[in-house]
Amino acid sequence: MDFKSYLQNHQVIVDEYLYKILLLDQGPERQIVEAMRYSIFAGGKRLRPILVFAGGDLIKDGLDRSIFLPFAAAIEMIHTYSLIHDDLPAMDDDDLRRGKPSCHKKFSEGIAILAGDALLTFAFQIMSENGDIPSDVRVKVIKEYSKAAGYHGMVGGQVLDLGAEGKELSIQELGIIHLKKTANLIAAPLLAGSILAGASDAELVNVSEYGINLGHAFQIVDDILDVIGDEKVIGKKVGSDKKKDKVTYPSLCGLDRSRIWAREFNEKAKDALAPFGERAEFLLKLADFVISRSH
Ligand code: IPE
Ligand code: IPE
Ligand code: MG
Ligand code: MG
Ligand code: MG
């Protein structure tokens, strides 16, 4: 399957599955599911869920897509929760997300906080309910997602990100923020897919190395697009980081040096795939796609 079809086909099956599980309730709390669905289906590249399948395919051919689906949907819900909360006035205060009004703009701050909470918890519910996967394997994946999302990972990174507004940081300190707020949540779905496909511990070390470096490259490009992106393409307001006095690669070392950093992380990511030979074809292409993307 070629690169573009792999992306598109998996986006479709993830979306179909999400439609199926995020059912509109008829009760008084119906509004929360509307808000969850609004943010999930507002758009989004579905990069993280695709990484679950790609992590599995790196280890073993032809596994049924249904094995990966709950874990793919779960990571998209965790990611979307992180975006809803990231946009709140108390955080980045962004009114546009995925080309639409942010969740708190469309609904209210209270509903946006709760929609985020509900997506996060529902993610863990679906993973724990998935009876097709042996419970020890399920717990291993759930542990990876918890570490990547919680205070050791994304939440911790968001705390550092907030604390860094208006400060002078070294590139190393900024790297730690990116590792925590973004790279962990990019490595986690790759690890999940690989674990589901029966990867060895040695293979998981390489998968993690690839994912973390891909995550660094991804966030640097996100910061670059915040400066030079097109609002209609990225679906977010350009210049948001500057407005909030965020420390970013472009603010620390300029656009050209930021692009070099992104390429360096991209090279390191690709190096980590060496042991996988031809099986790494898709993920090698994905690494190049991440640094050349316009959205
Ligand atoms: C945005 O992630 C948040 C970052 C970690 C930079 P994406 O760029 O993957 O957002 P969607 O899912 O496509 O909307
Ligand atoms: C977001 O970083 C990381 C998250 C954990 C959500 P940004 O704040 O740069 O992401 P965008 O640009 O709002 O998508
Ligand atoms: Mg942010
Ligand atoms: Mg933000
Ligand atoms: Mg950004």
Side-chain angles (χ1 to χ4, degrees), residues 219 222-223 236 241:
Q219 184 63 51
D222 182 82
D223 290 352
K236 305 189 275 194
D241 291 335

Side-chain angles (χ1 to χ4, degrees), residues 86 92 157-179 181-182 216 219-224 226-227 239-254 258:
D86 182 73
D92 292 355
Q158 292 285 66
V159 173
L160 297 176
D161 179 281
L162 280 183
E165 284 175 9
K167 297 251 169 67
E168 299 260 319
L169 246 58
S170 68
I171 213 94
Q172 285 74 20
E173 287 168 320
L174 179 61
I176 293 171
I177 298 181
H178 285 194
L179 168 68
K181 78 170 187 180
T182 304
H216 278 286
Q219 184 63 51
I220 295 172
V221 174
D222 182 82
D223 290 352
I224 293 173
D226 190 84
V227 181
S240 162
D241 291 335
K242 190 150 191 217
K243 212 169 97 197
K244 290 292 282 177
D245 216 355
K246 294 278 187 194
V247 184
T248 64
Y249 275 73
S251 79
L252 281 185
C253 59
S258 299

Side-chain angles (χ1 to χ4, degrees), residues 18 26 33 35 46 95 98 107 113 145 151 188 192 199 249 269 273:
L18 284 164
Q26 291 310 313
V33 192
R46 305 294 191 240
D95 293 352
R98 295 177 163 174
F107 296 89
I113 292 169
Y145 280 11
Y151 77 91
Y249 275 73
L273 294 176

Side-chain angles (χ1 to χ4, degrees), residues 37-261:
R37 286 172 65 109
Y38 173 79
S39 289
I40 286 270
F41 298 118
K45 295 178 283 295
R46 305 294 191 240
L47 169 71
R48 293 154 193 80
I50 290 166
L51 291 176
V52 176
F53 301 98
D57 292 337
L58 181 69
I59 305 299
K60 199 169 175 183
D61 273 330
L63 285 170
D64 200 301
R65 303 296 86 182
S66 64
I67 295 170
F68 303 109
L69 268 174
F71 303 92
I75 198 69
E76 185 60 27
M77 290 197 270
I78 295 169
H79 167 61
T80 302
Y81 128 75
S82 81
L83 300 180
I84 295 173
H85 283 194
D86 182 73
D87 288 338
L88 286 166
M91 295 193 65
D92 292 355
D93 194 12
D94 278 314
D95 293 352
L96 190 70
R97 169 67 63 184
R98 295 177 163 174
K100 298 211 163 110
S102 305
C103 195
H104 66 274
K105 280 281 159 188
K106 172 78 181 173
F107 296 89
S108 65
E109 283 179 40
I111 289 297
I113 292 169
L114 293 167
D117 294 341
L119 284 168
L120 174 64
T121 41
F122 193 44
F124 285 90
Q125 184 184 332
I126 357 170
M127 290 190 285
S128 53
E129 279 173 355
N130 178 14
D132 298 338
I133 306 291
S135 55
D136 59 330
V137 178
R138 248 182 297 156
V139 168
K140 204 169 166 183
V141 175
I142 289 171
K143 186 175 149 199
E144 288 301 335
Y145 280 11
S146 321
K147 277 195 302 186
Y151 77 91
H152 294 294
M154 187 273 294
V155 169
Q158 292 285 66
V159 173
L160 297 176
D161 179 281
L162 280 183
E165 284 175 9
K167 297 251 169 67
E168 299 260 319
L169 246 58
S170 68
I171 213 94
Q172 285 74 20
E173 287 168 320
L174 179 61
I176 293 171
I177 298 181
H178 285 194
L179 168 68
K180 287 176 176 263
K181 78 170 187 180
T182 304
N184 283 304
L185 267 186
I186 289 201
L190 283 158
L191 287 169
S194 302
I195 290 167
L196 294 166
S200 67
D201 288 347
E203 285 172 325
L204 292 179
V205 170
N206 282 71
V207 170
S208 173
E209 175 77 9
Y210 169 80
I212 293 293
N213 283 295
L214 184 76
H216 278 286
F218 187 87
Q219 184 63 51
I220 295 172
V221 174
D222 182 82
D223 290 352
I224 293 173
L225 291 174
D226 190 84
V227 181
I228 58 152
D230 177 346
E231 178 178 312
K232 287 203 183 62
V233 179
I234 65 173
K236 305 189 275 194
K237 283 260 154 64
V238 174
S240 162
D241 291 335
K242 190 150 191 217
K243 212 169 97 197
K244 290 292 282 177
D245 216 355
K246 294 278 187 194
V247 184
T248 64
Y249 275 73
S251 79
L252 281 185
C253 59
L255 285 168
D256 287 344
R257 185 74 188 107
S258 299
R259 290 191 185 101
I260 295 172
W261 276 107

